[in-house]
Amino acid sequence: MESIVITVTSGKGGVGKTTSTANIGCALAQLGRKVCITDGDIGLRNLDIVMGLENRIVYDSVDVVEGRCKLKQALIRDKRLESLFLLPAAQTRDKTAMNPQQMTALCDQLREDFEFILIDSPAGIEQGFQTSIAPADKVLVITNPEVSSVRDADRVIGLVESAGKGPAQLIINRIIAARVARKDMLSVEDIMEVLTSNVIGIVPEDEEILSASNRGSPVAISGKGAAAMAYRDIARRINGENLPVQMPRSGGLLHRIFGRA
Ligand code: ADP
Ligand code: MG
C-alpha cells in the first residue's frame, strides 16, 4: 500500500495548523481512506482536544518510541469515522523526547497500516519542526492573510526547501471576503505575489470552526459552512482528484465563492 506522510506547518503559531490537520484528516477518512493524525508538538499537544479524544488517551507516541507499548496500544480509533485514528503525543515530557530519526521510524511503522499520516507540526521557529518534517512526503504550510503571517510563511517555505522537502503547498486560512473587497485584508493574489508555492486550498474565516473545536468535533465531520466545504475540497485534492482551486479574479468573486464571509 502506497502511503503518504503529510506534515502541516507554518511560520508562526496560531494560524490554523491543528484545525487544518484535524479537518483534513477527517475529510480524507470520509473519502474512505485510512488515516492517522498525530501531534509533532511534544509537550504542547492539542490535536486530541480538537478531536474530542483527550479522555481516551492511554499511551502516546513517546511510549511507542521508547518501547513501553506497542503502536496499536497507543492508537485511538475515532468513533465517528472508523478509518480515522489518532496517535497522541506526550504532554509532559521534554521536546527532545523525539528526534527526527525516531519520528521517521515511527512513521515507517505507521505506513504499514495507513494510507495517509498527517503530522500537526510546531511552527518553523520552534523545536520539533525538524522532527516533524523529517518523515514528510509532502508539506503543507498554513498562512493567514496578514503581512506578518505571510512573511513568516515565506521563511518556513525556505526551511522546507532546504530540508529537501519542497515545494511546500500552501493553505490560506481565515480569509474574510468582505475585508478583501474593502482592501483591508490581503487577497489571495497579494499573497501569491510573495509566496510562489502552489495554493492547495483557501479556507474562509468561519465561526463554526471555533464552536466545533470547543465541542471536539471538527467541522469537516458534519459542518455545513464554507470552511467545512473548503477542507473537504482540500482533502479531495490530496486524494488525487483534479479539483481546481477557485482563484478569485477580483474581490467580488471571492465574495460570491464564500457567500457568507
Ligand atoms: P495552530 O495550530 O496553528 O496554533 P489552531 O488550529 O489552534 O492554530 O487555530 C488557532 C485558533 O484559530 C483556534 O482558536 C481556531 O479555532 C481558530 N481558527 C482557525 N482557523 C479558523 C477559521 N478558518 N475560522 C475561524 N477560526 C479559526
Ligand atoms: Mg496547534
Side-chain angles (χ1 to χ4, degrees):
M1 181 167 59
E2 185 81 28
S3 59
I4 303 180
V5 175
I6 302 173
T7 299
V8 180
T9 192
S10 66
K12 62 167 189 171
V15 298
K17 292 180 297 296
T18 302
T19 302
S20 297
T21 306
N23 278 288
I24 295 168
C26 289
L28 280 168
Q30 277 173 324
L31 293 173
R33 308 308 294 262
K34 200 163 178 207
V35 183
C36 178
I37 56 177
T38 190
D39 228 320
D41 204 351
I42 307 291
L44 246 187
R45 71 180 187 213
N46 49 20
L47 197 51
D48 54 337
I49 294 171
V50 170
M51 291 297 303
L53 298 173
E54 69 275 19
N55 293 329
R56 293 177 50 206
I57 296 176
V58 181
Y59 294 109
D60 59 57
S61 53
V62 176
D63 291 324
V64 178
V65 165
E66 294 180 354
R68 276 184 296 274
C69 71
K70 295 260 190 292
L71 176 58
K72 288 210 158 61
Q73 293 175 283
L75 288 167
I76 301 170
R77 184 198 283 266
D78 190 278
K79 290 204 171 93
R80 299 152 294 196
L81 299 165
E82 66 163 31
S83 66
L84 179 65
F85 290 74
L86 170 73
L87 176 60
Q91 194 156 38
T92 53
R93 263 175 273 268
D94 75 300
K95 283 179 188 274
T96 55
M98 183 103 75
N99 64 35
Q101 292 72 25
Q102 289 167 319
M103 190 63 157
T104 303
L106 183 65
C107 284
D108 284 344
Q109 234 183 309
L110 288 166
R111 283 177 197 271
E112 289 171 20
D113 281 322
F114 294 97
E115 295 171 288
F116 288 98
I117 298 137
L118 271 61
I119 302 172
D120 181 12
S121 164
I125 47 165
E126 288 165 50
Q127 210 173 353
F129 169 77
Q130 294 296 343
T131 293
S132 296
I133 63 165
D137 299 308
K138 188 200 278 283
V139 178
L140 304 184
V141 171
I142 317 293
T143 187
N144 294 153
E146 291 162 13
V147 173
S148 65
S149 177
V150 171
R151 190 183 48 220
D152 292 345
D154 188 40
R155 209 170 295 149
V156 83
I157 287 166
L159 290 179
V160 170
E161 272 163 21
S162 51
K165 300 292 179 177
Q169 292 183 303
L170 198 65
I171 293 179
I172 300 170
N173 184 31
R174 308 194 77 162
I175 277 262
I176 303 174
R179 287 188 54 194
V180 175
R182 286 201 307 270
K183 303 213 186 302
D184 72 356
M185 178 177 271
L186 296 177
S187 69
V188 173
E189 286 149 321
D190 294 333
I191 295 167
M192 287 175 69
E193 270 179 34
V194 181
L195 306 177
T196 48
S197 316
N198 268 341
V199 176
I200 195 171
I202 303 165
V203 182
E205 172 78 21
D206 189 339
E207 61 190 27
E208 198 179 40
I209 294 264
L210 192 61
S211 47
S213 299
N214 292 338
R215 272 201 321 274
S217 174
V219 292
I221 294 181
S222 56
K224 306 254 186 295
M229 290 191 297
Y231 278 122
R232 287 185 197 117
D233 284 352
I234 291 169
R236 286 168 63 189
R237 290 183 194 110
I238 291 171
N239 197 33
E241 220 175 295
N242 184 11
L243 183 70
V245 179
Q246 303 259 13
M247 281 301 157
R249 282 188 292 274
S250 70
L253 183 63
L254 241 197
H255 198 79
R256 261 183 282 142
I257 296 170
F258 300 134
R260 341 179 280 133

